[in-house]
Amino acid sequence: DAGVIQSPRHEVTEMGQEVTLRCKPISGHNSLFWYRQTMMRGLELLIYFNNNVPIDDSGMPEDRFSAKMPNASFSTLKIQPSEPRDSAVYFCASSAGLTNEKLFFGSGTQLSVL
Amino acid sequence: GESVGLHLPTLSVQEGDNSIINCAYSNSASDYFIWYKQESGKGPQFIIDIRSNMDKRQGQRVTVLLNKTVKHLSLQIAATQPGDSAVYFCAEGAGNNRKLIWGLGTSLAVNP
């Protein structure tokens, strides 16, 4: 298995632009997670899905952030409009079960908002 | 061990020595604990986990120890190798979905 696949690997955009991050989880996994990592705050869970249904989005910073999972093999995290404080590494992870145990992470998207 | 702040605590060891990375967790109701390794430019990678009904669990070259009395978790790496250089995160979970609370990480540097 190729593991969790994220794209793009790097994204540089200007403040106010829309940003879309993409994720393909491991085939057969039932849960998908979006995390954000910064030096100041470490790893923060933004949202997670079980069987394509959003379960907990309490970590989504504000209405500018939205996430979708239209099917079991694809998810997007969208930021509109983007702001410089959104600059971070965004990770997608998946797990076989319905809990947060044993997550498999992708390589992340390094987002820079200028 | 784990700490809050801009600078990650750093553990520096000689190649071949054993490493011990410590973590203090906060929630006495946590019943699941997990260690991840993150190399530069990569996502966190699962190392080992342990449930609260155990106090020790061993993997390949790694051992996790859990002391619930003092809410302390440690990761021991035997015969540390240069490839072990990374940031190590502990995380605790509780409840049915095991929602994780992550530490800020400890940087391990292995000197040849």
Side-chain angles (χ1 to χ4, degrees), chain A residues 1-49:
Chain A
D1 197 315
V4 175
I5 299 173
Q6 291 185 247
S7 65
R9 192 77 171 88
H10 302 276
E11 177 80 33
V12 180
T13 191
E14 292 186 346
M15 182 174 62
Q17 295 298 305
E18 177 180 295
V19 175
T20 300
L21 311 181
R22 296 172 175 81
C23 175
K24 177 177 167 45
I26 292 174
S27 177
H29 277 193
N30 296 308
S31 297
L32 183 140
F33 307 80
W34 282 101
Y35 276 88
R36 177 171 67 177
Q37 186 176 40
T38 61
M39 281 299 295
M40 287 290 294
R41 300 169 69 94
L43 275 161
E44 301 174 277
L45 176 65
L46 301 177
I47 186 172
Y48 78 93
F49 296 82

Side-chain angles (χ1 to χ4, degrees), chain B residues 8-82:
Chain B
L8 292 178
T10 298
L11 176 66
S12 185
V13 299
Q14 290 297 125
E15 181 178 356
D17 287 352
N18 296 334
S19 304
I20 300 176
I21 302 171
N22 296 304
C23 180
Y25 64 93
S26 56
N27 185 1
S28 56
S30 291
D31 57 2
Y32 177 74
F33 306 88
I34 192 165
W35 282 98
Y36 282 87
K37 169 187 179 183
Q38 186 174 24
E39 297 174 88
S40 181
K42 297 184 179 180
Q45 177 185 6
F46 169 82
I47 302 173
I48 192 167
D49 58 358
I50 188 169
R51 301 185 190 282
S52 59
N53 60 351
M54 303 173 69
D55 54 20
K56 179 180 180 178
R57 191 172 187 208
Q58 290 183 292
Q60 187 176 13
R61 278 200 310 119
V62 295
T63 300
V64 56
L65 298 178
L66 175 63
N67 185 331
K68 295 180 289 292
T69 303
V70 295
K71 292 191 286 188
H72 184 268
L73 189 69
S74 69
L75 178 70
Q76 300 178 1
I77 304 173
T80 313
Q81 303 168 1

Side-chain angles (χ1 to χ4, degrees), chain A residues 52-92:
Chain A
N52 314 339
V53 177
I55 300 300
D56 184 349
D57 65 354
S58 59
M60 295 287 263
E62 49 200 89
D63 292 344
R64 297 185 298 107
F65 285 68
S66 63
K68 294 182 179 180
M69 192 166 185
N71 56 62
S73 59
F74 184 66
S75 177
T76 59
L77 178 68
K78 186 175 294 186
I79 308 172
Q80 166 64 19
S82 59
E83 296 182 3
R85 61 192 169 120
D86 301 330
S87 298
V89 181
Y90 290 81
F91 287 105
C92 176

